[in-house]
Amino acid sequence: MKKGFLLSIFILVIFVSCKKDKDAKINIFPVSKDKELGAQMDAFINSDTSGMVVLNEAQYPKSYARLKHIRDYILASGKLKYKDDFPWKVTIIRDDTTLNAFATPGGYMYVYTGLIKYLDSEDHLAGVMGHEMAHADRRHGTSQMSKQYGVETLFSLVLGQNPGMLGQLTEGLLTLKFSRNDEAEADDYSVQYLCQNPAEYEADGAAGFFEKLLASGSGSSTPAFLSTHPSDQSRVENITAKANSLGCDVNAHNPTGFQEMKKELGF
């Protein structure tokens, strides 16, 4: 068993050394490592050293209920490969000035209050969550880390020879930038997740969010989301085109629960 695993890694090392496409997917992690890294990051975020303020679910039941409803709707699409393997835990971070949301490997999701405050529609929030869940389900995080940190370093981590590296990887995930291919794939799956019948959200909800984000990012301060998810108008158009090509519902729904969530959060 061990020989077979080592042979697989050796073949992958040869493949990586010959591959020149910067957007090629390279991932030496087993899925179990995605879950381990996600759990490590979740522990870090909930620790006193992270500097993040995590909102307690018992104090914000309506807000967590809405996020879980969106999550469950996306999971019900039947399009997620690791639907039953990842925990898909949702967490709200209190930071009213930061427009951001992210998902770690292994399906741990985080939404900043600044993003909720900024958005006008739950449709757009669903689009963002679908996009982030796609990054986790398509394993973009560990794929990018494989390229960023190098095969040799991660090889030692997979074999348990460098456990101290986990802390550095956990913090590095907060600012991890995805490739253009990863972003396009996450956009594509966000549409597929929301393209359901009957529909509760407009399938191209992510497009409305990115459109507003692009407009607000034209000034001196770039929103945090754009710093790790670079975008342009063609991306908005591609999301809408994907929804139309699939015959999805692109009408705004904006459930009333979104306004109740904003009110509970003080917006």
Side-chain angles (χ1 to χ4, degrees), residues 121-124 199-205 249-255:
S121 166
E122 187 169 315
D123 294 277
H124 298 170
E200 290 190 34
Y201 303 102
E202 55 181 305
D204 61 347
D249 185 343
V250 293
N251 297 310
H253 292 260
N254 193 20

Side-chain angles (χ1 to χ4, degrees), residues 145-253:
M145 289 162 59
S146 296
K147 290 187 286 186
Q148 180 174 329
Y149 290 93
V151 171
E152 184 177 352
T153 299
L154 295 185
F155 176 63
S156 66
L157 177 63
V158 170
L159 294 182
Q161 298 172 352
N162 192 6
M165 185 72 182
L166 282 173
Q168 298 178 42
L169 294 178
T170 299
E171 295 188 41
L173 284 170
L174 291 170
T175 55
L176 188 67
K177 294 184 179 181
F178 297 105
S179 71
R180 294 181 68 87
N181 284 353
D182 286 347
E183 290 297 319
E185 186 173 50
D187 289 345
D188 182 280
Y189 274 91
S190 177
V191 173
Q192 293 187 54
Y193 297 160
L194 299 184
C195 188
Q196 300 187 38
N197 187 20
E200 290 190 34
Y201 303 102
E202 55 181 305
D204 61 347
F209 163 67
F210 279 118
E211 196 163 32
K212 182 175 182 180
L213 196 60
L214 282 169
S216 66
S218 59
S220 58
S221 178
T222 300
F225 201 91
L226 281 184
S227 68
T228 53
H229 299 73
S231 185
D232 54 36
Q233 188 60 37
S234 65
R235 182 172 181 179
V236 173
E237 295 168 356
N238 289 339
I239 294 172
T240 300
K242 178 66 177 182
N244 290 331
S245 70
L246 295 176
C248 306
D249 185 343
V250 293
N251 297 310
H253 292 260

